[in-house]
Amino acid sequence: MTPAGKDLSRFSINQETIRQWSLEELAEGCTKAGVGQVGLWREPVQKYGVERAGRLFADAGLTVTSLCRGGFLTAVDPAERARALDDNRAAIDEAAGVSTDTLVLVSGGLPEGSKDLFGARERIADALAELAPYAAERGIRLAIEPLHPMFASDRCVVSTLSQALDLAERFPAEQVGVVVDAYHVWWDDQVAAQIARAGAGGRIHSFQLADWITPLPEGVLLGRGQLGDGSVDFRALRTLVEATGFDGPIEVEIFNEGLWARDGGEVLAEVAARFLEHAC
């Protein structure tokens, strides 16, 4: 427990925030720092071995709050679509293998040469109709993550919580929900109403934090900022999310080369301190 009653009981550190650490370093470092929850990414888990990774974090007493990522479900070509579905089934199995209940989905951008956003979103819905029952059988919830509109062409045609919920609400809440990622939704003047909508339906499956800093770097994917360095009011967003009854983990996921160049233990300590300062 820290001063003013603030603590890290809800805090989860996403692996990509400290990507310079191996999985073993992540488990050891979190244990030493008193951090009890982690979010994982598929590629390092696959390299380490899914079952082995599951044992590593279980033996360390760490809860895996999410696995990222599934998705990329907008292909038109039947063979590409089939490969994407197979990959997402594998991602669901991997999520179960590391004992998380949440697979984050980044839906995918426009297929090459296409300008049909509506059609791309409908193909996501068609894929979810196949994947959601498969995930439910394995105890996994699919969490659609809307990404900032600057990623709509190449990474995610789902840009707002409203669009994500329009997809998720076609399926049972225990099967498909959404990610409220502060970095991607802070700018939306409908965010309060859409968080309330998501919470009322029991569809907030993940809550993530990273700050919005400008100017954005070349290659905007790595432009996420340390908490408190940018424009996002984390405490206000947390208040909105928790007003719905959400009491789950709050995951800090920052893609930032400056953080990756530093000592991992130092970064973890700083992120935890910033979480207490700006999100509690």
Side-chain angles (χ1 to χ4, degrees):
M1 185 70 70
T2 62
K6 298 180 179 182
D7 65 58
L8 294 172
S9 59
R10 303 277 300 283
F11 174 71
S12 173
I13 187 72
N14 188 281
Q15 176 181 10
E16 281 293 287
T17 306
I18 321 176
R19 71 177 303 177
Q20 63 268 45
W21 268 357
S22 67
L23 290 185
E24 291 177 348
E25 289 171 328
L26 180 66
E28 181 181 2
C30 286
T31 301
K32 287 182 177 179
V35 173
Q37 302 183 104
V38 296
L40 299 179
W41 277 65
R42 290 181 65 195
E43 184 176 4
V45 167
Q46 290 168 342
K47 288 181 178 178
Y48 192 79
V50 176
E51 292 184 9
R52 188 180 173 210
R55 289 195 302 271
L56 173 68
F57 290 101
D59 290 347
L62 294 168
T63 298
V64 179
T65 53
S66 71
L67 181 68
C68 197
R69 58 176 165 64
F72 286 82
L73 300 168
T74 56
V76 176
D77 178 75
E80 289 183 31
R81 171 184 165 81
R83 285 193 294 271
L85 290 171
D86 286 345
D87 183 63
N88 277 268
R89 292 185 191 99
I92 291 164
D93 293 340
E94 291 160 16
V98 295
S99 298
T100 187
D101 63 359
T102 302
L103 176 65
V104 174
L105 302 182
V106 175
S107 298
L110 287 170
E112 185 175 356
S114 174
K115 298 181 181 181
D116 183 6
L117 285 167
F118 177 80
R121 293 182 188 128
E122 285 303 302
R123 288 192 294 279
I124 296 166
D126 291 343
L128 289 171
E130 296 191 41
L131 295 171
Y134 184 90
E137 290 172 358
R138 289 151 182 80
I140 303 300
R141 307 179 302 178
L142 303 179
I144 303 169
E145 181 173 10
L147 268 57
H148 188 280
M150 66 182 174
F151 295 112
S153 64
D154 64 341
R155 191 165 294 272
C156 188
V157 297
V158 179
S159 301
T160 65
L161 278 174
S162 176
Q163 292 168 359
L165 287 165
D166 286 346
L167 289 167
E169 287 171 352
R170 304 186 193 192
F171 307 95
E174 64 273 15
Q175 293 185 13
V176 185
V178 299
V179 180
V180 178
D181 186 329
Y183 179 78
H184 291 298
V185 305
W186 71 276
W187 57 274
D188 186 353
D189 63 355
Q190 296 299 309
V191 70
Q194 296 306 318
I195 287 173
R197 174 185 169 191
R203 294 185 186 272
I204 301 177
H205 290 349
S206 180
F207 181 29
Q208 296 183 336
L209 307 182
D211 217 337
W212 182 277
I213 54 175
T214 49
L216 294 172
E218 183 179 356
V220 294
L221 187 63
L222 306 185
R224 292 178 175 227
Q226 175 64 279
L227 307 188
D229 284 354
S231 305
V232 180
D233 188 340
F234 297 108
R235 195 170 290 113
L237 283 172
R238 178 172 178 174
T239 298
L240 290 171
V241 169
E242 292 184 345
T244 72
F246 177 86
D247 60 359
I250 303 172
E251 203 174 288
V252 178
E253 181 187 62
I254 304 173
F255 311 149
N256 186 292
E257 290 181 322
L259 293 183
W260 297 339
R262 293 168 53 191
D263 174 77
E266 178 185 293
V267 172
L268 178 57
E270 181 179 280
V271 172
R274 294 291 190 95
F275 175 84
L276 293 171
E277 180 181 358
H278 296 286
C280 291

